[in-house]
Amino acid sequence: MDFLQTRGRDIIDEHGSVIYLRGICIGGWMNLEDFINAYPGTESGIRDHISQILGKRKGDQFFELMSDNFFAEKDIQFIAQTGATCVRLPLNIRHFESDDKPFVYNQNAYKKLDAILDLCEKYGVYAILDMHAAPGWQNCHWHSDNERGVSLLWRHSHFQDRLIGFWQETARHYANRAVVAGYELLNEPSSGNPSGEHPFDFYQNFHPDWFRINDLYKRTSAAIREIDPKHMIFLEGDNYARLFSGFDEPFDSNLVYSSHNYTNPGFGPGKYPGYYNGIYWDKNHHKLELQIQEGTIYAEKYNVPLLIGEFGSQYHGTSEDVVYRLDSMKDQLDIYNEAGLNWTAWTYKDAGIMGLVTLSPKSEYMCIVEPVQEMKRKLGAENFVAQYWDCPGRNQSRALADLILTTSQNTELNLNDTAYTFNYTALTGFAAAMLQPSYAKRFANVTYKDIERIMSAFLFENCEVNHAYHEILKSALAK
């Protein structure tokens, strides 16, 4: 495989030929997520509770088998046969380095990553290494393994030094491996909410800390370049990869910028084409949204490549609604291809929400955790699983959020914004954490052989392919 580099808006190989990085994200492998792996709360929290119930050795086996079965050779072979040229690999710093031993790197984690990269090389698929859960947390949400809802990375030099140290260590490992397309420094940074998200500092009230994010990107890139002058470096926009207007001009000759483009008709429910929040969404509106997004504007202004690093639809509604979600996804993919963009869809495998491949609902694992999944739906303790359900937890949370807003007399703030930010703190934070013991107890008294059998649910051959989605992806990847 050739090393890749940028040339204007394009990514090219060593012969100067244009290469489109198009494929899928592998969330749930080296960064677990609640809706993907079908547990409540954060990865760190659920690991602690499983260890308390099973003991450290069994707990380690539980998650090692979940991860090893989640993404293996048959998965990469399937992805390559679908036509993908790359996978985006979300990583959690806690696999590589721990809070009690900062700057001491777990070489077993790199061996695990090495093995997957060997398979990617075997099947001709590039890999983007994505820091999805950074030391000190780069945003306030569960998908960065954030149990506290605060973002310490931006104000604490210790965590920034650890981020830089990780990327230098990673560059040492992969400086000479062409299968690595590049290093994505941070997933969905959100520099304007160091103390958590509230309606007064989110949505239209969000104010990026452009100095800090520009400075951290530059220092991290410079540290990588001390070791690795070859690989591309991927930079996401602020506020969950949406904002780019305050970025400095490109400071390196081999940078790719990345935006995340989730849309209302992708999440639903409702007809597509159709109205969402008073806006008529169809293919033309998808195209308009792409044109006015800050990532698109920045890439055109500075003549640099753009990766749509995350986008996708949800496929767990009614059969009629799923068709609308698929139609929206098809239009998005067509528009990205027509615009000559690089893209990686979210996500490859999960428990039946957004995945191209999903765990069988009849598998032993899913049968064991289904009562906890129902608790999540009832409480709204995981926003994706709760998307299509009437959740008493959300209803009561909304009533309390409304009471808080009216009592505080912040009349300039929006009721919906208040409810959303409050839900993240109260439901996907506190309520989800309260369900973690319930999840762990479902596995009490299992043996090593039991764990091996239960975790076989994550193997490709035991999962189900979303065939309609697969056909759409194959068609888009063939263009």
Side-chain angles (χ1 to χ4, degrees):
M1 300 179 76
D2 285 357
F3 279 93
L4 303 180
Q5 61 182 332
T6 66
R7 182 183 64 195
R9 295 294 308 277
D10 295 324
I11 294 171
I12 60 172
D13 62 18
E14 293 174 20
H15 307 284
S17 299
V18 174
I19 299 292
Y20 290 108
L21 292 179
R22 291 174 177 166
I24 202 158
C25 303
I26 317 297
W29 173 56
M30 286 194 83
N31 183 62
L32 306 185
E33 293 197 16
D34 52 6
F35 84 93
I36 295 176
N37 303 87
Y39 65 83
T42 62
E43 176 176 348
S44 294
I46 206 64
R47 283 180 177 273
D48 287 344
H49 283 284
I50 285 289
S51 292
Q52 290 171 27
I53 293 293
L54 300 185
K56 187 178 187 309
R57 285 186 62 194
K58 277 187 188 176
D60 288 346
Q61 185 204 31
F62 184 97
F63 288 107
E64 281 303 308
L65 284 174
M66 178 187 285
S67 178
D68 290 346
N69 293 345
F70 190 98
F71 192 52
E73 181 164 8
K74 289 183 180 179
D75 297 283
I76 297 172
Q77 184 180 31
F78 172 73
I79 290 169
Q81 290 172 346
T82 301
T85 59
C86 78
V87 289
R88 179 171 172 263
L89 303 179
L91 307 176
N92 188 325
I93 188 63
R94 292 153 189 82
H95 291 253
F96 296 86
E97 181 228 43
S98 63
D99 289 331
D100 58 346
K101 293 182 180 179
F103 307 105
V104 177
Y105 300 102
N106 179 5
Q107 297 308 311
N108 287 332
Y110 282 106
K111 289 178 181 177
K112 184 171 184 169
L113 185 53
D114 290 341
I116 288 296
L117 292 174
D118 290 344
L119 291 171
C120 287
E121 196 164 32
K122 177 179 178 179
Y123 291 100
V125 177
Y126 284 98
I128 299 168
L129 305 185
D130 151 44
M131 176 41 65
H132 217 79
W137 309 294
Q138 75 278 16
N139 62 47
C140 301
H141 289 179
W142 44 264
H143 45 78
S144 60
D145 198 12
N146 193 334
E147 297 186 76
R148 299 290 174 262
V150 295
S151 186
L152 302 179
L153 175 69
W154 303 106
R155 301 293 178 90
H156 294 263
S157 60
H158 168 75
F159 294 117
Q160 295 179 15
D161 290 345
R162 285 171 60 185
L163 176 70
I164 292 170
F166 163 81
W167 279 119
Q168 284 200 309
E169 180 71 10
T170 302
R172 291 187 189 98
H173 275 266
Y174 301 120
N176 295 314
R177 294 213 63 176
V179 66
V180 174
Y183 312 124
E184 190 165 352
L185 303 189
L186 285 173
N187 174 72
E188 296 192 344
S190 191
S191 68
N193 310 98
S195 61
E197 291 174 355
H198 314 87
F200 52 75
D201 58 18
F202 202 55
Y203 292 109
Q204 68 271 16
N205 296 316
F206 182 83
H207 298 291
D209 193 332
W210 287 118
F211 172 79
R212 291 181 191 272
I213 192 170
N214 279 308
D215 178 68
L216 184 57
Y217 275 170
K218 288 179 180 178
R219 288 192 292 118
T220 308
S221 300
I224 290 172
R225 289 293 181 239
E226 291 175 6
I227 298 163
D228 183 351
K230 295 180 181 179
H231 279 99
M232 297 185 296
I233 293 174
F234 293 75
L235 304 179
E236 290 196 18
D238 203 355
N239 192 220
Y240 298 88
R242 290 188 286 248
L243 304 183
F244 293 76
S245 62
F247 275 155
D248 293 342
E249 295 183 9
F251 50 84
D252 184 277
S253 61
N254 212 15
L255 297 177
V256 179
Y257 289 79
S258 177
S259 68
H260 291 182
N261 297 8
Y262 292 107
T263 66
N264 288 329
F267 282 77
K271 293 183 178 181
Y272 175 84
Y275 283 93
Y276 294 83
N277 297 327
I279 297 173
Y280 185 76
W281 279 85
D282 59 4
K283 188 172 183 179
N284 286 332
H285 192 75
H286 272 297
K287 187 173 184 179
L288 174 63
E289 283 292 311
L290 176 63
Q291 292 171 344
I292 65 175
Q293 284 168 354
E294 290 191 14
T296 305
I297 295 169
Y298 185 95
E300 291 175 348
K301 179 179 179 179
Y302 290 109
N303 196 35
V304 291
L306 182 66
L307 168 75
I308 310 298
E310 288 186 23
F311 64 102
S313 292
Q314 295 193 2
Y315 309 112
H316 60 116
T318 65
S319 57
E320 181 183 33
D321 203 82
V322 168
V323 172
Y324 297 137
R325 309 287 74 78
L326 290 165
D327 288 345
S328 175
M329 186 65 167
K330 181 181 183 302
D331 281 353
Q332 270 192 285
L333 288 165
D334 286 347
I335 288 165
Y336 296 160
N337 282 348
E338 290 165 7
L341 297 178
N342 305 279
W343 50 262
T344 49
W346 189 270
T347 187
Y348 168 60
K349 185 185 288 184
D350 71 5
I353 309 299
M354 301 183 73
L356 170 62
V357 173
T358 66
L359 274 69
S360 169
K362 298 179 181 179
S363 67
E364 185 175 3
Y365 175 80
M366 288 302 294
C367 289
I368 290 172
V369 303
E370 174 53 31
V372 183
Q373 293 288 89
E374 177 59 28
M375 294 175 193
K376 288 161 68 175
R377 289 190 284 266
K378 183 175 181 179
L379 292 176
E382 192 282 288
N383 52 317
F384 283 1
V385 169
Q387 188 75 14
Y388 284 81
W389 294 78
D390 181 23
C391 303
R394 279 191 171 184
N395 295 337
Q396 294 189 35
S397 172
R398 176 59 187 259
L400 181 54
D402 289 352
L403 175 62
I404 291 170
L405 182 58
T406 54
T407 303
S408 66
Q409 299 183 9
N410 290 306
T411 55
E412 75 280 7
L413 300 180
N414 182 282
L415 284 168
N416 290 332
D417 294 351
T418 303
Y420 184 88
T421 52
F422 184 73
N423 278 347
Y424 249 101
T425 300
L427 301 183
T428 66
F430 183 83
M434 289 291 289
L435 297 181
Q436 289 176 342
S438 299
Y439 173 94
K441 289 173 185 175
R442 301 291 299 172
F443 297 95
N445 303 317
V446 295
T447 66
Y448 289 106
K449 286 187 177 180
D450 291 336
I451 295 171
E452 185 174 356
R453 185 187 66 252
I454 292 166
M455 289 305 161
S456 67
F458 288 88
L459 289 168
F460 175 81
E461 56 266 34
N462 295 331
C463 291
E464 300 177 353
V465 175
N466 183 333
H467 291 290
Y469 181 21
H470 187 218
E471 290 303 314
I472 289 171
L473 272 180
K474 281 199 299 184
S475 177
L477 289 164
K479 295 178 180 177

